[in-house]
Amino acid sequence: MARIIGGIGTTHVPSIGKAIADKKHDDPYWKPFFSGFDYVHGWLARERPDAMVIFYNDHGLNFFLDKLPTFAVGAAPEYRNEDEGWGIPVSRAVAGDPDFSWHLIDTLVADEFDITMCQEMLVDHAVTIPMALMWPGERWPVKIVPIEINTVQHPLPSLGRCLALGRSVGRAIESYARDLKVLVVGTGGLSHQLDGERAGFINKEFDQLCMDRLVAEPEALTRYAIREFIELAGAQGVEFLNWMAMRGALTGSVAQLHRNYHIPISNTAAATVVLENRPRAELRAA
Ligand code: DHB
Ligand code: FE
């Protein structure tokens, strides 16, 4: 059966792609951010996941404001990137796993999540930047199932709904018959606002609260309505919905293994978190 090894939450700021292309890892501006991935590289090398479910928001590459699903699940053999602007090079494609995708889709719909299923889907910086950060080498060792959450056009799903979506995905992963080691990722955030009067807004205190609660009591975060969350985290800080879904998918006992938080990367409070998922059966046996 498939097993969930843990979760990673990471920022997906596009200019990271340009910094990678320009090899700016040791530049004083970038070092405090990139060095936060040293732990991630060691952990991934030890855990060796085969598959990755990645919750992210599309920023207009595949979906636009005319048709924007609240939740969409990819079921393609491959996910391509295209030129998004931002000065970042076009990423290589990411391999998909259609059989695993269809299992998740079947289980989610049976669980009354009315998702959009996508047999073709472009993925933007919210998928490709985290891939490049987690596996900086030539080869990406996982096949992915991308799950898009609308964080762009209102009305957005609530924090509670995204936590519930993640929980359903977690149950679906664990009912998959293949022996896969599965990593769950949530991208975006933390606090940031890219436009309007509050452009550049960052809220360190609230970011810390969100990361703390996410580990041990994610339900506590569901008390924030979307409007209130945006007031506290900025208009794009609401990308944290992807982190909520990631946390929901961790079905076991969860512990934080690593956290890096650095302000700012571009306009964003950049955060990287690694969460371990210890299956409950393993805990009982111990
Ligand atoms: C930035 C952050 C994002 O999450 C994004 O999607 C685009 C830009 C930024 O801080 O520049
Ligand atoms: Fe974003």
Side-chain angles (χ1 to χ4, degrees):
M1 299 297 276
R3 185 162 69 80
I4 301 164
I5 59 163
I8 294 180
T10 170
T11 297
H12 63 219
V13 177
S15 59
I16 297 165
K18 176 125 177 48
I20 291 172
D22 296 344
K23 299 193 168 36
K24 293 243 172 97
H25 302 75
D26 289 325
D27 183 290
Y29 179 88
W30 289 99
K31 197 172 170 51
F33 171 72
F34 280 115
S35 62
F37 274 82
D38 294 346
Y39 180 90
V40 177
H41 300 153
W43 185 72
L44 289 172
R46 287 193 298 280
E47 296 291 330
R48 312 234 254 131
D50 316 290
M52 176 172 93
V53 174
I54 179 165
F55 294 97
Y56 75 105
N57 57 292
D58 183 271
H59 301 72
L61 184 69
N62 189 78
F63 302 113
F64 201 60
L65 303 181
D66 58 336
K67 300 179 204 73
L68 190 39
T70 300
F71 301 130
V73 182
E78 180 180 82
Y79 302 93
R80 283 188 307 103
N81 179 228
E82 276 182 2
D83 188 357
E84 302 175 56
W86 306 105
I88 46 175
V90 174
S91 167
R92 62 182 183 270
V94 194
D97 184 337
D99 189 73
F100 187 28
S101 286
W102 284 112
H103 172 77
L104 297 188
I105 290 167
D106 283 341
T107 317
L108 281 166
V109 174
D111 210 13
E112 301 186 348
F113 282 91
D114 306 320
I115 50 93
T116 298
M117 48 199 109
C118 301
Q119 299 190 61
E120 274 183 48
M121 188 151 99
L122 295 172
V123 291
D124 74 2
H125 63 271
V127 172
T128 60
I129 297 291
M131 293 295 295
L133 283 167
M134 290 187 286
W135 292 284
E138 282 303 304
R139 211 178 72 79
W140 287 338
V142 292
K143 292 184 173 175
I144 72 164
V145 178
I147 303 185
E148 172 269 354
I149 296 180
N150 168 30
T151 71
V152 174
Q153 169 138 293
H154 293 263
L156 310 185
S158 68
L159 282 98
R161 186 67 176 151
C162 293
L163 187 64
L165 172 77
R167 287 187 170 143
S168 186
V169 168
R171 291 192 296 272
I173 295 170
E174 288 185 329
S175 67
Y176 188 50
R178 261 158 75 205
D179 259 338
L180 294 179
K181 283 191 280 182
V182 182
L183 168 69
V184 185
V185 173
T187 89
L190 289 181
S191 59
H192 63 304
Q193 171 142 346
L194 300 179
D195 46 25
E197 277 174 23
R198 291 204 310 166
F201 176 82
I202 278 176
N203 186 346
K204 180 174 177 182
E205 207 179 311
F206 186 64
D207 288 337
Q208 305 288 356
L209 179 147
C210 287
M211 287 186 288
D212 289 345
R213 297 271 193 280
L214 193 71
V215 182
E217 41 172 352
E219 295 81 9
L221 294 168
T222 65
R223 62 174 274 248
Y224 296 104
I226 291 294
R227 253 192 106 89
E228 202 180 349
F229 197 90
I230 285 173
E231 274 168 28
L232 288 161
Q236 281 72 41
V238 77
E239 291 178 342
F240 187 71
L241 290 175
N242 300 312
W243 290 52
M244 285 297 279
M246 173 276 284
R247 175 61 184 85
L250 306 182
T251 51
S253 164
V254 174
Q256 179 183 285
L257 298 177
H258 171 70
R259 181 195 288 189
N260 187 53
Y261 182 82
H262 176 68
I263 297 172
I265 288 298
S266 186
N267 297 290
T268 298
T272 308
V273 165
V274 179
L275 302 178
E276 172 189 51
N277 180 60
R278 275 187 77 191
R280 298 205 181 265
E282 193 178 296
L283 287 176
R284 275 196 297 277

